[in-house]
Short mmCIF file of all heavy atoms in Angstrom, two decimals:
data_model
loop_
_atom_site.label_atom_id
_atom_site.label_comp_id
_atom_site.label_asym_id
_atom_site.label_seq_id
_atom_site.Cartn_x
_atom_site.Cartn_y
_atom_site.Cartn_z
N GLN K 8 4.25 4.70 -4.03
CA GLN K 8 4.76 3.35 -4.23
C GLN K 8 6.20 3.42 -4.71
O GLN K 8 6.56 4.30 -5.49
CB GLN K 8 3.93 2.62 -5.30
CG GLN K 8 2.48 2.48 -4.95
CD GLN K 8 2.24 1.43 -3.90
OE1 GLN K 8 3.02 0.51 -3.72
NE2 GLN K 8 1.16 1.56 -3.18
N LEU K 9 7.02 2.48 -4.25
CA LEU K 9 8.37 2.33 -4.77
C LEU K 9 8.27 1.47 -6.01
O LEU K 9 7.78 0.35 -5.96
CB LEU K 9 9.28 1.65 -3.74
CG LEU K 9 10.69 1.34 -4.24
CD1 LEU K 9 11.44 2.63 -4.51
CD2 LEU K 9 11.43 0.49 -3.25
N LEU K 10 8.70 1.97 -7.12
CA LEU K 10 8.59 1.24 -8.38
C LEU K 10 9.98 0.98 -8.96
O LEU K 10 10.31 1.39 -10.06
CB LEU K 10 7.72 2.02 -9.38
CG LEU K 10 6.28 2.22 -8.94
CD1 LEU K 10 5.53 3.10 -9.92
CD2 LEU K 10 5.58 0.88 -8.79
N GLU K 11 10.80 0.30 -8.16
CA GLU K 11 12.15 -0.03 -8.60
C GLU K 11 12.36 -1.52 -8.39
O GLU K 11 12.21 -2.04 -7.29
CB GLU K 11 13.18 0.77 -7.78
CG GLU K 11 14.58 0.59 -8.28
CD GLU K 11 15.56 1.52 -7.58
OE1 GLU K 11 15.14 2.56 -7.05
OE2 GLU K 11 16.74 1.20 -7.58
N ALA K 12 12.72 -2.21 -9.46
CA ALA K 12 12.92 -3.66 -9.40
C ALA K 12 14.15 -4.02 -8.57
O ALA K 12 15.07 -3.23 -8.42
CB ALA K 12 13.08 -4.22 -10.81
N GLY K 13 14.13 -5.26 -8.03
CA GLY K 13 15.30 -5.78 -7.32
C GLY K 13 15.44 -5.34 -5.89
O GLY K 13 16.45 -5.59 -5.25
N GLN K 14 14.44 -4.69 -5.32
CA GLN K 14 14.50 -4.25 -3.94
C GLN K 14 14.07 -5.39 -3.02
O GLN K 14 13.37 -6.30 -3.40
CB GLN K 14 13.59 -3.04 -3.72
CG GLN K 14 13.99 -1.84 -4.55
CD GLN K 14 15.37 -1.32 -4.21
OE1 GLN K 14 15.67 -1.06 -3.05
NE2 GLN K 14 16.22 -1.19 -5.21
N GLY K 15 14.48 -5.33 -1.76
CA GLY K 15 14.11 -6.36 -0.78
C GLY K 15 12.66 -6.26 -0.39
O GLY K 15 11.95 -5.33 -0.75
N GLY K 16 12.20 -7.27 0.37
CA GLY K 16 10.81 -7.35 0.77
C GLY K 16 10.29 -6.15 1.54
O GLY K 16 9.15 -5.77 1.39
N THR K 18 10.99 -3.09 1.15
CA THR K 18 10.75 -1.94 0.28
C THR K 18 9.99 -2.34 -0.97
O THR K 18 9.91 -1.59 -1.91
CB THR K 18 12.08 -1.27 -0.12
OG1 THR K 18 12.89 -2.24 -0.78
CG2 THR K 18 12.80 -0.69 1.06
N SER K 19 9.44 -3.53 -0.96
CA SER K 19 8.71 -4.05 -2.12
C SER K 19 7.56 -3.12 -2.51
O SER K 19 6.83 -2.63 -1.66
CB SER K 19 8.15 -5.44 -1.81
OG SER K 19 7.34 -5.91 -2.85
N ASN K 20 7.43 -2.92 -3.81
CA ASN K 20 6.31 -2.09 -4.23
C ASN K 20 4.99 -2.80 -3.93
O ASN K 20 4.90 -4.01 -3.91
CB ASN K 20 6.42 -1.71 -5.71
CG ASN K 20 6.55 -2.90 -6.63
OD1 ASN K 20 6.42 -4.03 -6.20
ND2 ASN K 20 6.84 -2.66 -7.88
N ARG K 21 4.01 -2.00 -3.62
CA ARG K 21 2.66 -2.46 -3.34
C ARG K 21 2.52 -3.32 -2.08
O ARG K 21 1.59 -4.07 -1.93
CB ARG K 21 2.08 -3.18 -4.54
CG ARG K 21 1.89 -2.23 -5.71
CD ARG K 21 1.72 -2.97 -7.00
NE ARG K 21 1.55 -2.09 -8.12
CZ ARG K 21 2.52 -1.40 -8.69
NH1 ARG K 21 3.73 -1.43 -8.22
NH2 ARG K 21 2.28 -0.64 -9.73
#
Side-chain angles (χ1 to χ4, degrees):
Q8 300 285 336
L9 175 66
L10 297 175
E11 186 173 338
Q14 298 298 307
T18 58
S19 174
N20 55 8
R21 294 163 180 76

